[in-house]
Every structure is written in structure tokens, then in C-alpha cells.
Amino acid sequence: MKLITAIIKPFKLDDAREALSEIGIQGLTVTEVKGFGRQKGHTELYRGAEYVVDFLPKSKLEIAINDEQVDAVIDAIKASTSSGKIGDGKIFVTTLVEVVRIRTGESGAAAL
Amino acid sequence: MDASVIEVKYALDTFYFLVMGAFVMLMAAGFAMLEAGLVRSKNTAEILTKNIVLYAVACTMYLVCGYSLMYPAEASGLLWPGLPSILGGTDHGVEGVLASSGETYYSGLSDFFFQAVFVAAAMSVVSGAVAERMKLWAFLAFAVVMTGFIYPIEGYWKWGGGYLDSKGFLDFAGSGVVHMTGAVAALFGVLLLGARKGKYGADGRINPLPGANLPLATLGTFLLWFGWFGFNGGSELKLSDVGEANAVALVFVNTNAAAAGGCISALIIARLLFGKADLTMVLNGALAGLVAITAEPLTPTPLIATMIGAVGGLIVVISIITLDRLKIDDPVGAISVHGSAGIWGLLAVCFTNDDATLGAQLLGIGMIFGWVAITSGIVWYVLKVTVGIRVSEEEEAEGVDIGECGLEAYPEFVRT
């Protein structure tokens, strides 16, 4: 089992969600986060005082899937959220050791 | 005059005081929203508490002693008005009004009501400048002295027929009596309080601490603009004949024009200085325009009023930046809006009112500034060395909402 963590531009969230729905992904978690990569921030003025907008808003998707679905999910996210411009984001794939469905107590692949 | 005409005029002019007083009361909501919008979310509930309680304190202290200090029975041209007394509930009787042939033209209690909301406005200026790091109860203790004593004495000097009035100092609705007074009390509070932690950096760096809710700040500004029609319009003190009605209309027009002028000039200056349209400066600009015209909204033409307001907008932006450079931390720009623009407003009277003299205006500015500086400085200092006026570092970091009020303004918003 794998956990896909995708950091994407917030306005691409709906597109990503639709694309994942189309390939049969039935659950995901979204968090609003801030971050920067090589995109960096920019400087603004508030009442004449300078401040650096270092951290840019992003959306973080977390999706727990079977190993077989990894490539399809990565492709779906890439296709739906890519703009070609700097700041599109990243996808991380990590190994899930265990998954449990709280309501029924199922675990493993059955809980996905 | 026919008896019924006298009675109707009395009723109309009383009604006018009451309604204009209610307009000015709404400025309390304006201040509350403006300040709530310009402080950080963790300090919002506390500033709202300050705003509503100071209004209540102001009304109560003015009732208990302030009004009688500010308006003694006889205009005497003095520095000290005499002893205070508690407001009673009696008013003019019909026979007395008719016997006066209309000289007595409004209810005494309506005058109290109209004046009470002004002292609340003056006190409210202070709350924004000391926001985010002052102890709530120390602030309220200051409010008791300010509304019960400091304001009434300098108010007496002008509107109560005291020394400044006898010297020809002019201040139609209170650029000096109300706004500059509040700003000076705020300034000395800030000087004794110190800047917010993290506001000024080691190498002369100024760090912004952006406000949490610009929609509220804008709403607050509009409410203040609206209420100002009562502040200036009501200060004509009479409505019930053609001359007075026309005067009131001109005051409304000029008040509005000055706000517009200040708004636009602040926008343009912010754009030129900062490259973008800083909404917070625009809001301050409109208010500075209003403060500036408050000293004399009747004698300018509407176009001149617009320009007076526009200069106020220019002054306020420069003042805000300058105070920051001097490390005088004013989260909402209160000292600049009410002090810097207030002084400009008092001087601008000389341009449009032939009865004004530069000497009398400077005398008024100097005496009011000096009185409020000394008395408020003493009160702030006494509070500082006895109960302390600043919250602890931990409380300031956590937010005064938790420390002073035990609750949060936006409990469901996750802090980022």
C-alpha cells in the first residue's frame, strides 16, 4: 500500500479531484498548507513597511492506494494540475505500513 | 412668535440633537469595527471589549461629573469651571420655553445626550493606538479619568465658554476638543507603553503586523463616515429655520466632500509611494479628511472642503510613515488620523473663516495639547508604576484575547 502526498496549487484542487474520481479513487484528504520550493516569494508593502511573502498557499492531497494504482494516480494528478509554470508542486510516494477502517475494524487492503 | 411655532421648533431642534447624537453613537461601532479589522485575530476580542466598555464608561462618567464640569451654568472665560454635579432628570417646562420666546429652544437632556457621545468618541481614539499590548483594566482606569476630568476641562475651555472661547479660538465640532485630544492621550500612552514585540527590528527595520479583517476595517470606516454627519451636522446645534437648515445642509455636504478628498488623496499618495493601492491607507485618508473638516465645516465651499480633506489625506500618510520611523507604534494610525489631521484642521479654519486668527488657533492647539499631554502623561505614568500598563511577553505572544478576555474572536479559524 502506498500513500500519495501531492502539493498542488489551490485553484487546481477541483480539477485534481475530478481526475482522481474518473480513475476510481474514492477517498482523499485535503489540507491547506503554505510552502515554497524554487518558486520563492515576493516582497509587498503594508502601510509602508516591507514584508516578504515567503510562503505561498498550496493544497496538500493525501491519498491511500494499492501499489497497482500508483502510476495511474500520479498521471492523473500531473495531467490535471500541471500549468507548465513554476510553482505547480510535487508528488511524494511513501509506503503505508498499515491502514484501518475505524467503523468496521477492517485492516490492510480491505480498508483502503 | 406663535406659541405653537415655538413649541414645534423646540421639538424639532430637540429631535435634531437626539438623532444626531444617535448618529455619533454609531461611530462607536465604527471605531470598534475599524480597530477589530486592523489588529491581529488573537487580539480582536479584547479590542472589541475595550471599545464597548469605554463607551459605557464615557457615558457614565460624563453623567456623573463630566458634563457639569464642561458646561457650567455661566460662560466665564476661565481656566477652571467650578465643581461638578451629577446629571439630574429635570428639563425645561412649557411655560419657561414660551416665556423665553424661543431662546430656550431645545431639551437640556437632549444636549447632554448629544455631548456625551462626543466624549466617547474622543476616548475611543486612544484604544486603537495602544492595541495588542496594553492591559485592558489599566486602559479602562485611564478612560475613567479621561472622560470624567481631562476631556471636560479642555472641552470647557472652548465649548463651555471658558478661556479659549474668550480668546477667539474656533473649533466647530471638535478637531481639537475631541480628535487632537484623543490623539495626544494616545500618543503619551504609546510613548509609555512601547511598541509591539517584533514590530521594529534591530537595524531600523519596520515589520508589518497586518490586520486580520479588512472587510471589518472598511465597514468601520463607512460607519464612521456616516456617523460624522451627526458629529458635524449636529454641531450646528440648531435646525428649525431656513438659515439653520441651510447651514446644516452645507455642513453635511462639506463633511462628505472632505472625506472623499482625503480618501482620494491618500489613495494617490499610497500608489505613488508604495506602488499599490493600500486599502488601510485609503481608509485612514477618508477619516483624516473628516477630522480635518471637523474644525470648520460651515464656511468653506464644497470644493475647498474637498481640498482641506485632501490635504488631510496627504498629511495622514506621511504622519503614519514618520511615526513608524520614530518607532512610535500605532497599529491603526489613530495618532496620525486624529492628531496630525486634527492640527491641520484647526489651522485650516484661518483660510475660510474671517473670525479666525492664527494666534488664537495656535493658542488653542498649544493649550489643549499641553493640558492633555501633562494630565494623560501623569495618569499613564501612575498606572504604569502601580498596576502596570503592558501585558507580559507571553501574553502578548499568545494574544490578549486569551489573557484579558479568556476567549477567542475567531475560535474556528485555524491559525497559520
Side-chain angles (χ1 to χ4, degrees):
Chain A
M1 299 175 294
K2 294 285 188 292
L3 182 69
I4 305 277
T5 304
I7 310 284
I8 61 173
K9 286 184 169 169
F11 70 90
K12 286 290 186 186
L13 182 57
D14 284 335
D15 295 335
R17 195 226 151 130
E18 255 182 62
L20 289 167
S21 220
E22 270 162 38
I23 59 167
I25 301 299
Q26 292 180 315
L28 57 85
T29 303
V30 183
T31 336
E32 284 165 29
V33 297
K34 286 189 182 177
F36 63 88
R38 296 189 299 190
Q39 184 183 7
K40 300 255 190 316
H42 49 281
T43 315
E44 295 296 351
L45 289 170
Y46 177 81
R47 294 167 84 66
E50 214 177 72
Y51 65 107
V52 185
V53 184
D54 253 346
F55 294 99
L56 298 150
K58 302 285 175 198
S59 294
K60 181 166 87 168
L61 301 173
E62 284 167 289
I63 312 149
I65 50 173
N66 283 312
D67 294 358
E68 301 79 47
Q69 295 171 293
V70 171
D71 290 334
V73 167
I74 290 176
D75 288 340
I77 294 175
K78 264 170 54 180
S80 61
T81 67
S82 165
S83 71
K85 298 207 203 99
I86 207 167
D88 273 349
K90 281 192 172 50
I91 302 172
F92 306 106
V93 183
T94 50
T95 308
L96 261 187
V97 169
E98 178 65 285
V99 176
V100 175
R101 179 171 282 112
I102 294 177
R103 177 174 58 91
T104 60
E106 287 161 292
S107 62
L112 282 173
Chain B
M1 248 193 297
D2 190 56
S4 49
V5 171
I6 293 177
E7 285 207 47
V8 169
K9 279 162 67 81
Y10 182 98
L12 178 59
D13 287 326
T14 297
F15 179 71
Y16 185 60
F17 266 132
L18 296 173
V19 171
M20 293 299 102
F23 268 53
V24 177
M25 186 268 172
L26 199 60
M27 289 172 73
F31 278 113
M33 293 300 100
L34 175 68
E35 293 168 23
L38 293 178
V39 298
R40 289 165 292 178
S41 50
K42 65 185 182 181
N43 298 317
T44 303
E46 191 260 4
I47 206 164
L48 293 171
T49 308
K50 271 202 300 216
N51 270 279
I52 190 165
V53 177
L54 77 83
Y55 181 79
V57 166
C59 292
T60 305
M61 288 308 297
Y62 208 58
L63 184 159
V64 163
C65 61
Y67 181 66
S68 61
L69 277 176
M70 188 154 158
Y71 293 98
E74 255 99 68
S76 53
L78 300 176
L79 289 175
W80 179 254
L83 292 173
S85 58
I86 302 178
L87 184 77
T90 56
D91 218 321
H92 307 296
V94 178
E95 298 81 26
V97 171
L98 294 176
S100 77
S101 306
E103 284 283 306
T104 306
Y105 69 91
Y106 58 89
S107 143
L109 285 173
S110 73
D111 179 66
F112 167 79
F113 178 74
F114 181 68
Q115 296 298 339
V117 291
F118 277 68
V119 58
M123 187 59 226
S124 199
V125 171
V126 185
S127 62
V130 299
E132 306 205 282
R133 71 269 199 217
M134 177 169 276
K135 286 186 180 172
L136 172 64
W137 295 90
F139 174 84
L140 296 176
F142 180 85
V144 169
V145 181
M146 172 91 172
T147 58
F149 179 67
I150 299 177
Y151 172 91
I153 297 299
E154 57 86 14
Y156 158 70
W157 287 346
K158 172 55 201 155
W159 292 339
Y163 183 74
L164 286 175
D165 193 42
S166 71
K167 291 292 171 196
F169 171 63
L170 298 179
D171 189 0
F172 187 95
S175 292
V177 172
V178 177
H179 295 285
M180 192 186 73
T181 294
V184 173
L187 173 64
F188 282 82
V190 169
L191 289 174
L192 283 157
L193 185 64
R196 288 168 291 174
K197 197 106 181 60
K199 174 68 186 169
Y200 300 117
D203 45 346
R205 211 189 129 59
I206 303 169
N207 301 312
L209 301 173
N213 197 324
L214 294 185
L216 282 186
T218 308
L219 173 68
T221 302
F222 272 118
L223 286 173
L224 286 166
W225 189 328
F226 173 87
W228 229 291
F229 295 129
F231 201 94
N232 288 356
S235 292
E236 176 62 17
L237 306 178
K238 196 170 179 181
L239 179 69
S240 61
D241 58 54
V242 171
E244 295 293 350
N246 287 343
V248 164
L250 181 56
V251 167
F252 269 58
V253 169
N254 283 345
T255 299
N256 196 49
C263 174
I264 294 170
S265 85
L267 171 72
I268 293 173
I269 287 144
R271 173 69 179 81
L272 291 172
L273 288 177
F274 311 133
K276 292 191 183 170
D278 185 326
L279 172 63
T280 67
M281 289 297 197
V282 170
L283 299 177
N284 280 157
L287 296 177
L290 287 162
V291 171
I293 201 65
T294 295
E296 184 50 84
L298 182 58
T299 53
T301 62
L303 191 62
I304 301 278
T306 309
M307 299 196 310
I308 291 174
V311 173
L314 166 66
I315 288 173
V316 80
V317 175
I318 294 174
S319 175
I320 289 171
I321 300 171
T322 306
L323 288 183
D324 250 345
R325 297 255 168 88
L326 296 172
K327 300 208 197 306
I328 296 173
D329 184 18
D330 181 356
V332 307
I335 297 168
S336 300
V337 168
H338 299 276
S340 310
I343 291 172
W344 156 243
L346 289 170
L347 295 171
V349 179
C350 299
F351 294 131
T352 63
N353 189 326
D354 295 328
D355 295 331
T357 62
L358 184 60
Q361 296 308 97
L362 288 171
L363 177 69
I365 292 170
M367 277 183 68
I368 295 176
F369 191 105
W371 166 254
V372 180
I374 293 168
T375 52
S376 67
I378 291 172
V379 179
W380 286 128
Y381 182 72
V382 167
L383 287 168
K384 181 170 178 171
V385 301
T386 51
V387 300
I389 54 177
R390 189 164 182 145
V391 300
S392 69
E393 260 194 53
E394 295 79 33
E395 188 178 336
E396 189 173 339
E398 189 185 36
V400 286
D401 281 8
I402 301 286
E404 302 290 285
C405 301
L407 43 76
E408 294 176 57
Y410 305 105
E412 288 165 49
F413 279 67
V414 176
R415 249 185 257 159
T416 45

